Amino acid sequence: MKKIVFVAHDPGGYDAVYPVYEDMRNQMECQLFCIGPSANLNRKFAVRIDMVLGYLHDALKNDEVAVLITGTSWGNHTELDCLKLCQKYNVPTISILDYWSNYASRFRTDIGEHIYPDYYFVMDDLAKKEAIAAGVDEKILYITGHPGLDKFFNTKKTLQPRTVLKKILFLSQPLSSLYGNSLGYNEKTVIVDVINICRELGLKLNIKFHPKDLQDLKIKYRKFEVTGNLEEVLPSYDVVIGMNTMGLLHAVLMGARVISYQPGLKIEDACITNKLGLTKNILTAPDLRQILENVDINNRKNIDNFVWSDGYSVRRVIDKINTIFNARELYDRGNR
């Protein structure tokens, strides 16, 4: 029997791909490979990168792959290598986007070649519009919602905000590795600001590091570190501060007070909670201090009108995959 093969490298890609795998494995034969940072999120499916390509090459030669489904990553081209290999064997390929940015550059190789999937699943109209503007062919784009967000709607957690702030959670990101200083800020400069402001205001601060954060950064600020899934640790905090991480959207959906802090931002704002009007971009340390001091935070905009806000994104993705799979089956039968 043919398998659906899933491959995830970055944590965001894993968040988008894994819920689909978890549901589909009850329907048909599925194989999940977690490589790179995603391997640290699920050791059960952790494999070396060379093992994925070796397995896929043999499985394709033996006509054992029905569909390839990947996340979208930065700094590693394994998913692109998998896409290219499957397309060589005329096997349908799907990539699931996990964030509203870098729509085309995620699929660009070091030599400037773009290796796109046959089907590119994006979250909503905004993502589709921005992807087209970035040069992605509209014909491969499909709006399915975001599979990684379903759990935040299906397990409602109501947080009771306090009028006096005591504990702050900062969500770090490896922005310096991705952008250097081109944004006007990075996690190194922002952490210093947040630590100083929390110290001045007598607030307890914890930092939740990103799996791809630099090890030196983690060691330097390890006394602030908190571990665990965001949905588990979040209820202990009064405010969540981040830069442009997807975790800010997760926190908003769970009912937390959320701040996007991007001091000295030099480019167009890529923070999705700011783009959706759920948060405002705070650009200076004095402004951040004033907001925390006065508890001036409101993320109460209604989110019910967004495609991904109904908790059924996984189902939409699977329905589309089944359509693709069934169409390919009919095609193969007609050409035997």
Side-chain angles (χ1 to χ4, degrees):
M1 179 182 292
K2 290 187 177 182
K3 294 182 179 181
I4 294 184
V5 178
F6 296 79
V7 180
H9 179 271
D10 279 9
Y14 171 84
D15 287 343
V17 165
Y18 183 71
V20 180
Y21 161 79
E22 194 171 36
D23 199 307
M24 290 205 76
R25 67 179 180 174
N26 298 320
Q27 303 177 25
M28 64 179 299
E29 195 76 18
C30 294
Q31 179 72 53
L32 171 64
F33 294 107
C34 294
I35 55 178
S38 74
N40 296 323
L41 300 177
N42 195 329
R43 302 304 303 177
K44 179 179 178 181
F45 299 101
V47 295
R48 297 195 318 268
I49 289 173
D50 60 309
M51 293 176 63
V52 177
L53 294 172
Y55 166 87
L56 194 57
H57 185 269
D58 291 342
L60 288 166
K61 284 179 61 178
N62 295 325
D63 195 26
E64 296 173 352
V65 181
V67 179
L68 171 71
I69 301 172
T70 77
T72 58
S73 298
W74 273 99
N76 183 275
H77 298 319
T78 304
E79 288 159 324
L80 303 188
D81 293 338
C82 291
L83 291 175
K84 191 170 186 177
L85 187 56
C86 283
Q87 289 167 353
K88 177 182 176 182
Y89 283 86
N90 201 31
V91 169
T93 55
I94 299 168
S95 293
I96 306 176
L97 184 66
D98 61 271
Y99 196 76
W100 289 258
S101 67
N102 303 308
Y103 303 95
S105 53
R106 296 169 187 264
F107 298 95
R108 188 173 59 235
T109 67
D110 292 336
I111 62 172
E113 174 189 14
H114 282 84
I115 302 174
Y116 287 110
D118 300 312
Y119 304 86
Y120 190 178
F121 292 177
V122 299
M123 293 77 73
D124 55 17
D125 287 319
L126 174 62
K128 182 176 181 179
K129 178 182 177 181
E130 292 185 339
I132 293 170
V136 179
D137 188 344
E138 183 176 2
K139 294 178 182 177
I140 71 171
L141 292 167
Y142 296 85
I143 297 173
T144 58
H146 192 310
L149 295 182
D150 281 1
K151 64 181 178 180
F152 295 99
F153 292 97
N154 295 335
T155 56
K156 298 287 186 182
K157 295 188 178 182
T158 303
L159 304 180
Q160 300 298 326
R162 291 190 283 258
T163 56
V164 178
L165 303 186
K166 295 182 179 180
K167 296 181 66 177
I168 308 296
L169 178 64
F170 176 72
L171 305 180
S172 185
Q173 294 170 263
L175 297 184
S176 59
S177 298
L178 296 173
Y179 305 106
N181 296 315
S182 63
L183 299 181
Y185 72 91
N186 56 42
E187 73 279 13
K188 299 175 184 178
T189 59
V190 167
I191 284 177
V192 171
D193 283 353
V194 173
I195 288 175
N196 289 337
I197 291 170
C198 286
R199 183 181 295 122
E200 290 172 8
L201 297 178
L203 300 173
K204 178 177 174 55
L205 172 68
N206 285 121
I207 299 173
K208 190 175 187 306
F209 290 107
H210 190 281
K212 295 177 74 174
D213 269 331
L214 297 172
Q215 193 62 29
D216 288 348
L217 186 80
K218 294 179 180 179
I219 293 173
K220 183 175 182 178
Y221 297 110
R222 60 188 170 190
K223 71 177 182 179
F224 296 100
E225 183 175 11
V226 64
T227 59
N229 295 327
L230 182 60
E231 56 267 33
E232 295 171 353
V233 304
L234 188 60
S236 299
Y237 296 90
D238 301 311
V239 176
V240 177
I241 300 174
M243 295 167 288
N244 62 18
T245 174
M246 185 68 166
L248 293 181
L249 182 56
H250 296 165
V252 168
L253 300 183
M254 292 176 63
R257 291 187 177 112
V258 175
I259 296 173
S260 169
Y261 180 52
Q262 301 178 82
L265 180 65
K266 293 180 179 178
I267 64 171
E268 184 178 353
D269 188 2
C271 178
I272 187 55
T273 54
N274 293 339
K275 290 165 73 171
L276 295 176
L278 300 172
T279 55
K280 294 181 179 179
N281 190 10
I282 308 306
L283 296 172
T284 71
D287 285 344
L288 177 61
R289 189 188 193 284
Q290 182 177 23
I291 287 171
L292 291 176
E293 189 172 22
N294 297 311
V295 200
D296 185 18
I297 306 159
N298 188 347
N299 311 125
R300 302 302 181 192
K301 179 176 176 177
N302 193 315
I303 61 173
D304 294 338
N305 295 327
F306 299 120
V307 174
W308 37 263
S309 67
D310 61 0
Y312 292 101
S313 293
V314 170
R315 176 46 47 197
R316 278 190 294 272
V317 168
I318 291 175
D319 286 345
K320 184 61 183 176
I321 293 170
N322 285 333
T323 299
I324 294 168
F325 180 73
N326 292 333
R328 180 50 61 101
E329 284 285 289
L330 290 173
Y331 175 84
D332 289 344
R333 290 174 192 170
N335 285 275
R336 285 173 185 166

